[in-house]
């Protein structure tokens, strides 16, 4: 039809659209949100956009370009996951800026005020857009302009907010309890406590830290006792994959630490909360934020010499041999990707790979000596969906598993671990073995409720928050903590 064919014909739609818009709005500026690259077979590329589309849009009355990318058919590129680097899309607005004379805005994983300023100062683009960064901290722009970069509660790019949006649920931010709630939930409107209490928090993970922050703002006296020698709970481990970027998880810990310091909250390290300690200190209330523990399955040979748990691997306590078998493909998927990338060229950041056929996305070996053979044995039907994941991350991690050449065997039942071999019954019902040099156990986690069971009904009021109510994710830790701190 008249809208299809060569570029000239294809652009007729946008010409007419902009001309009608101009008629409707007069002098009012027209800002167009555009995909710099559709990243789709048969779609347009950045080169097409710069050569054909951008000039025609400018001629037809577009006063500003706001550049994103991707199309709904593979929406994982539209809102980049934490695995992608910060500012991952900036090369697109940068290229478009070179071919138009109107202002160009860029965005995408810019969650640090310093990076936002740098993009402008370096002339990469004219206006910097902050999407999720403003969800995580609505004061992002104000704090950036004031140079208060470290006061920003940075987005961790977990996409909890967007997944809610996709599912037609109220959108909730993992790190900002207030986001998308009625104004009565604003922290500034929070009521001070009528009765100041002396509260002991067991556990300095995200839940314990957020609780301490909010309860202190309400006027309580809070002490955090943490068994280990640092704050952050599980997150320093979860952020520790050598070849998969999950370091954004630490953003919320950095911010909470800063708040805890400035509020003068007392933190006692290497202090395990026990029933005796509570009897001795006699607080008015105890808040348990004790997190979760690894599940160790009852499989013959599980205590063998080359069997390590995921936590032990992430703590850097164990080295890993060439052939790695991972039992548990949900908690184990990220470690599988990280190990599967060893000795290989890292994937190019961003989504240019979508222009390539899948065979070309498979990572090439650069150091064959270091390449690992990684196999996942998973009892369920899928891999890559631990309780902290969502559909977008599931899709992205499964692509990464395939690129990294990880062999994923699902619906298998592991029977025995011997020296160098794992025996299992496969999805076809047949027995088989797979050799290993290192076996990583990542089957799941269980809430740590021992202390609760000991204390319930015996001592002062006891509250539970975060993963010790069931292992899940940061959002649950922050939200259960914030909610409890508003009630206590
Ligand atoms: C491999 C892995 C990757 C993950 N990745 C993500 C992710 O990408 N996104 C996400 O949202 N979530 C992720 N999670 C989940 C996330 O780590 C947890 O949901 C979150 O840390 C829970 O916070 P918490 O404060 O409740 O517990 P934790 O973070 O577990 O903290 C509990 C703290 O309590 C301390 N403690 C325990 N008992 C006592 C005691 N008796 N006295 C004093 N201190 C005590 C512990 O030492 C610990 O510091 C991941 C989890 C795993 C296992
Ligand atoms: C909850 C949520 C809803 C969004 N809705 C839209 C939308 O309706 N239209 C759109 O073009 N982009 C939408 N986006 C994408 C953002 O505008 C932005 O392009 C993207 O999040 C990348 O920028 P960021 O890394 O700064 O968040 C949405 C993003 C989020 C997180
Ligand atoms: S939910 Fe996650 S991705 Fe969305 S704004 Fe909050 S921290 Fe960022």
């Amino acid at each position: 039809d008249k809208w299809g064919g060569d570029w000239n014909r294809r652009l007729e739609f946008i010409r007419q659209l902009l001309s009608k818009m101009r008629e409707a709005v007069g002098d009012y500026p027209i800002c167009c949100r555009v995909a710099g690259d559709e990243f789709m077979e048969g779609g347009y590329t950045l080169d097409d956009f710069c050569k054909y589309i951008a000039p025609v849009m400018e001629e037809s009355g577009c006063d500003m370009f706001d550049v994103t990318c991707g199309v709904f058919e593979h929406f994982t590129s539209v809102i980049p996951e934490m695995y992608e680097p910060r500012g991952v899309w900036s090369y697109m607005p940068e290229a478009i800026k070179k071919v138009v004379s109107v202002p160009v805005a860029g965005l995408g994983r810019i969650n640090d005020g310093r990076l936002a300023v740098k993009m402008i100062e370096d002339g990469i683009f004219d206006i910097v857009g902050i999407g999720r960064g403003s969800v995580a901290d609505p004061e992002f722009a104000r704090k950036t302009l004031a140079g208060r970069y470290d006061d920003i509660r940075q987005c961790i790019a977990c996409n909890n907010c967007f997944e809610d949006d996709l599912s037609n649920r109220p959108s909730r931010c993992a790190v900002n309890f207030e986001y998308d709630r009625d104004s009565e939930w604003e922290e500034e409107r929070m009521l001070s406590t009528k009765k100041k209490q002396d509260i002991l928090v067991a556990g300095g993970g995200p839940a314990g830290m957020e609780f301490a922050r909010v309860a202190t703002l309400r006027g309580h006296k809070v002490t955090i006792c943490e068994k280990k020698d640092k704050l952050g709970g599980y997150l320093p481990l979860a952020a520790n994959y050598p070849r998969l970027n999950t370091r954004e998880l630490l953003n919320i810990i950095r911010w909470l630490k800063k708040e805890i310091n400035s509020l003068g909250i007392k933190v006692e390290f290497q202090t395990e909360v026990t029933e005796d300690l509570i009897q001795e200190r006699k607080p008015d209330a105890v808040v348990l934020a004790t997190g979760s523990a690894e599940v160790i399955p009852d499989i013959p040979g599980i205590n063998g010499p080359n069997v390590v748990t995921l936590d032990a691997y992430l703590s850097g306590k164990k080295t890993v041999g060439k052939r790695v078998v991972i039992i548990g493909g949900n908690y184990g998927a990220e470690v599988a990707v990280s190990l599967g990338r060893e000795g290989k060229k890292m994937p190019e950041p961003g989504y240019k790979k979508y222009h390539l056929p899948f065979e070309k996305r498979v990572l090439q070996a650069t150091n064959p000596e270091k390449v690992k053979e990684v196999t996942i044995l998973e009892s369920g039907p899928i891999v890559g969906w631990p309780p902290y994941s969502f559909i977008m991350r599931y899709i992205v991690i499964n692509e990464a598993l395939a690129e990294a050449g990880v062999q994923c065997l699902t619906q298998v039942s592991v029977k025995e671990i011997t020296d160098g071999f794992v025996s299992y019954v496969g999805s076809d019902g047949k027995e088989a073995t797979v050799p290993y040099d290192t076996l990583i156990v990542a089957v799941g986690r269980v809430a740590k409720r021992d202390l609760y069971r000991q204390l319930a009904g015996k001592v002062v009021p006891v509250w539970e928050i975060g993963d010790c109510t069931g292992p899940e994710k940061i959002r649950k830790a922050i939200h259960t903590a914030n909610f409890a701190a508003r009630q206590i």
Side-chain angles (χ1 to χ4, degrees), residues 82 156 158 202-208 225-228 230 232-235 238 241 246 249 271-274 289-292 310-311 314 331 334 388 393 445 448 451 465-468 472-475 477:
M82 71 174 74
I156 60 171
C158 63
C225 290
E226 167 53 51
K227 196 164 75 170
K228 297 196 185 131
K230 63 177 172 200
Y234 197 83
L235 297 183
Y241 297 106
T246 52
L249 294 171
T271 308
E272 179 165 1
V273 176
T274 57
T290 47
S292 63
L310 179 60
D311 288 9
L314 288 173
Y331 277 106
E334 289 179 323
Y388 56 84
R393 196 146 167 195
R445 304 189 69 82
K448 271 196 188 161
L451 193 53
I465 55 174
D467 266 17
C468 69
E472 219 185 272
K473 53 177 85 79
I474 295 171
R475 179 170 71 178

Side-chain angles (χ1 to χ4, degrees), residues 132 135-136 155-161 172-175:
R132 290 165 296 173
V135 168
C155 163
I156 60 171
C158 63
N159 279 341
N160 282 203
C161 52
R172 295 283 176 257
C173 170
V175 298

Side-chain angles (χ1 to χ4, degrees), residues 95-251:
I96 294 168
K97 187 170 149 54
K98 291 188 179 130
V99 298
V100 297
S101 56
V102 293
V104 175
L107 81 170
R109 285 279 284 112
I110 299 174
N111 60 352
D112 180 356
R114 293 175 192 85
L115 180 61
V117 169
K118 190 169 169 6
M119 291 289 178
I120 303 290
E121 282 180 355
D122 291 355
I124 308 290
F125 32 78
D126 305 294
I127 297 170
V128 61
I130 309 295
R132 290 165 296 173
S134 320
V135 168
D137 190 340
E139 295 290 309
F140 187 105
R142 220 187 303 275
K143 289 177 183 172
T144 297
L145 290 173
R148 292 169 48 210
Y149 305 123
D150 294 331
D151 290 345
I152 294 172
R153 179 173 46 202
Q154 290 181 344
C155 163
I156 60 171
C158 63
N159 279 341
N160 282 203
C161 52
F162 184 62
E163 298 258 358
D164 285 338
D165 223 41
L166 274 182
S167 318
N168 272 334
R169 292 188 295 257
S171 183
R172 295 283 176 257
C173 170
V175 298
N176 176 7
F177 176 84
E178 289 168 71
Y179 170 62
D180 207 17
R181 290 182 194 266
D182 292 342
S183 55
E184 71 201 60
W185 290 99
E186 280 170 16
E187 211 157 272
E188 283 166 9
R189 293 185 179 205
M190 216 160 49
L191 296 179
S192 296
T193 178
K194 290 194 183 117
K195 184 170 170 270
K196 182 173 179 170
Q197 295 189 54
D198 185 357
I199 304 172
L200 182 68
V201 177
M209 294 170 86
E210 173 76 351
F211 176 90
R213 179 184 78 80
V214 179
T216 305
L217 287 174
R218 289 195 52 233
H220 292 297
K221 177 173 173 271
V222 183
T223 304
I224 300 177
C225 290
E226 167 53 51
K227 196 164 75 170
K228 297 196 185 131
D229 58 1
K230 63 177 172 200
L231 289 171
Y234 197 83
L235 297 183
L237 291 190
N240 207 19
Y241 297 106
R243 292 171 82 79
L244 183 69
N245 179 22
T246 52
R247 282 176 289 284
E248 296 291 346
L249 294 171
L250 299 177
N251 299 346

Side-chain angles (χ1 to χ4, degrees), residues 370-392:
K370 290 205 163 167
V371 169
K372 300 209 184 297
E373 293 161 24
V374 185
T375 305
I376 287 178
L377 299 178
E378 165 56 41
S379 59
I382 58 168
V383 298
W385 201 319
Y388 56 84
S389 199
F390 285 102
I391 181 76
M392 288 172 77

Side-chain angles (χ1 to χ4, degrees), residues 1-13 15 52-53:
D1 62 18
K2 69 174 178 168
W3 310 106
D6 61 18
W7 273 109
N8 189 37
R9 290 166 69 102
R10 284 171 71 184
L11 286 164
E12 189 53 23
F13 179 79
R15 280 194 201 96
Y52 303 111
I53 306 173

